[in-house]
Amino acid sequence: MIAELYQKLDALQREIEASAPASSEELEQFRIRFLGSKNVFKPFFGEMRNVPNEDKRTYGQRMNELRTIAQKRFDDAQAELKATDSGAKSHDLDLTAPGRPYQHGSRHPVSIVMNEIIDIFSRIGFVVAEEREIEDDWHNFTALNTPENHPARDMQDTFYLQANADLMLRTHTSSVQARVMTTQKTPIRIIAPGRVYRNETVSARSHCQFHQVEGLYIDEDVSFADMKQTLYYYAQSIYGKDVKVRLRPSYFPFTEPSAEMDVYWGLKDENDYRITKGTGWLEILGCGMVDPQVLINCDIDPDKYSGFAFGMGIERQAMLKYRINDIRAFFENDVRFLRQFSTAVI
Ligand code: DAH
């Protein structure tokens, strides 16, 4: 009799192993048959009392084993069904649905203005020169007529490298002048855009890092008039044909004579009074004729060659162009600020 029970259980095992519920209905039928409250094993438990005592243990184990097999088959089938179900869903693709909007990035205003400046000067033959941001004392100061203990060093507070006091984060792109004059042949006509650093307290008007563009033109017979016309062309290109400019005498150690160029901003409201200090004029760049001593420092013959140089802060140009009143906005990378400069995309 017990052999008969075992045979029936073997048959049930084969049935379980062969079954492959392929839908949730079939899975439910499987569950009812093998795992439900009236499952097929129930009567076999009932037979327990007819099983001889010495066989009870093995018989019980066999039934537990079958229940485990059934449960496992159920779990597997359920997992398979779930997987194919979501597989089916991904095929429910609505090809007529409108596309998801794609988030375009936008150029940083500093890059926009920098590219515009490069564009303006490349139209009149200036080529871009790029140089290192970690500079040595000679290129950043000494070659540019600012030897140690020169009071003009105080014009710019410097970040020196701890490991080597001869090295620093360049305080201006003028260091590229010295690099180019010692490595390129005359005539030279370059602009050098890039990042510069100064040990300054961060405020709405100044930052410890910003961008400059340097310009340098060296050739035979370059005059102050050439410089004036070049810078006027620049101001017109970036601020519009009607821009009013003026050159004001100034001082830089590496140029003689030196000047600063102002554009007329206007005095329409209180804000204009504040940012132009009541004059209506705003300084946009420093410039001058390259000091003959700088040419000598860089092994260029000052009797044969002359030239002019200029340097300007890019953030400053961008602030004027877009009427931004806090330089910190350029470095905070708040997308609400940056998004305003995205060009329209279709
Ligand atoms: N390097 C100067 C600064 O950072 C700017 C400058 C002034 C550059 C006059 C020049 C120049 O090339 O001729 O303030």
Side-chain angles (χ1 to χ4, degrees):
M1 194 222 53
I2 186 157
E4 207 178 304
L5 285 175
Y6 276 128
Q7 271 173 19
K8 284 188 183 159
L9 286 173
D10 289 347
L12 283 171
Q13 179 170 357
R14 282 194 296 277
E15 187 189 332
I16 292 168
E17 284 166 352
S19 68
S23 66
S24 43
E25 293 80 36
E26 286 176 25
L27 187 67
E28 179 59 7
Q29 278 159 17
F30 180 94
R31 190 191 65 78
I32 293 169
R33 180 160 165 75
F34 295 106
L35 303 162
S37 56
K38 291 182 187 146
N39 64 60
V40 287
F41 304 116
K42 280 275 157 82
F44 292 86
F45 279 102
E47 292 293 341
M48 189 62 109
R49 56 197 141 89
N50 304 322
V51 174
N53 274 348
E54 64 271 26
D55 292 331
K56 274 194 183 5
R57 196 178 137 89
T58 327
Y59 181 76
Q61 278 172 350
R62 175 64 178 140
M63 287 207 303
N64 282 339
E65 182 185 26
L66 277 185
R67 281 238 309 234
T68 313
I69 292 172
Q71 185 66 50
K72 168 126 185 19
R73 185 69 207 104
F74 176 85
D75 292 345
D76 289 351
Q78 193 175 43
E80 267 167 47
L81 266 183
K82 261 211 187 115
T84 48
D85 237 26
S86 47
K89 271 203 196 96
S90 77
H91 287 105
D92 283 346
L93 186 63
D94 179 2
L95 293 173
T96 65
R100 293 209 188 97
Y102 181 77
Q103 283 269 354
H104 285 272
S106 57
R107 276 210 198 288
H108 195 282
V110 167
S111 303
I112 296 175
V113 173
M114 191 189 280
N115 288 341
E116 201 176 339
I117 296 172
I118 292 172
D119 200 48
I120 291 169
F121 282 103
S122 62
R123 270 182 255 145
I124 53 169
F126 283 77
V127 246
V128 171
E130 274 183 310
E131 267 301 339
R132 61 210 74 189
E133 290 178 17
I134 295 178
E135 199 39 281
D136 57 42
D137 188 274
W138 192 82
H139 290 89
N140 195 81
F141 288 126
T142 309
L144 301 172
N145 254 355
T146 324
E148 229 175 306
N149 304 320
H150 190 289
R153 285 216 183 192
D154 296 341
M155 286 165 77
Q156 300 167 3
D157 260 327
T158 311
F159 286 121
Y160 287 94
L161 263 62
Q162 255 174 7
N164 181 346
D166 189 50
L167 295 180
M168 65 196 72
L169 297 177
R170 66 179 178 194
T171 58
H172 51 185
T173 44
S174 302
S175 58
V176 184
Q177 287 191 35
R179 288 267 164 208
V180 171
M181 283 193 273
T182 49
T183 54
Q184 291 188 15
K185 286 209 181 87
T186 45
I188 291 167
R189 200 186 295 171
I190 57 105
I191 51 166
R195 194 172 294 153
V196 300
Y197 304 84
R198 288 186 198 171
N199 191 357
E200 285 198 35
T201 314
V202 175
S203 73
R205 296 179 65 86
S206 57
H207 208 283
C208 56
Q209 58 168 351
F210 55 100
H211 298 78
Q212 287 187 331
V213 178
E214 191 80 10
L216 178 68
Y217 183 21
I218 310 266
D219 204 345
E220 293 175 31
D221 299 323
V222 178
S223 69
F224 196 88
D226 294 328
M227 179 185 84
K228 208 169 139 184
Q229 198 53 36
T230 305
L231 296 177
Y232 184 46
Y233 154 78
Y234 164 71
Q236 281 193 318
S237 308
I238 201 146
Y239 297 110
K241 280 264 171 279
D242 300 329
V243 72
K244 269 201 279 182
V245 301
R246 72 178 184 191
L247 282 176
R248 211 168 12 82
S250 183
Y251 171 76
F252 298 102
F254 35 90
T255 44
E256 182 58 38
S258 304
E260 280 175 294
M261 192 163 93
D262 297 342
V263 293
Y264 191 70
W265 178 256
L267 281 173
K268 287 177 287 294
D269 58 28
E270 214 178 300
N271 202 34
D272 295 344
Y273 271 86
R274 193 174 52 79
I275 62 170
T276 69
K277 299 195 180 99
T279 65
W281 291 93
L282 271 181
E283 180 241 311
I284 61 160
L285 55 83
C287 58
M289 302 306 290
V290 178
D291 193 307
Q293 185 58 47
V294 173
L295 295 176
I296 293 170
N297 294 346
C298 297
D299 273 339
I300 294 177
D301 181 358
D303 293 328
K304 188 165 178 211
Y305 292 101
S306 57
F308 65 79
F310 55 88
M312 60 186 129
I314 299 182
E315 282 80 1
R316 185 155 176 90
Q317 315 292 305
M319 286 167 87
L320 294 179
K321 200 171 156 68
Y322 298 117
R323 298 203 168 236
I324 297 161
N325 55 19
D326 192 327
I327 192 172
R328 290 170 290 199
F330 292 108
F331 301 101
E332 278 160 5
N333 284 337
D334 184 331
V335 289
R336 290 166 301 179
F337 171 74
L338 296 177
R339 239 186 235 135
Q340 300 175 63
F341 305 94
S342 61
T343 39
V345 271
I346 309 137

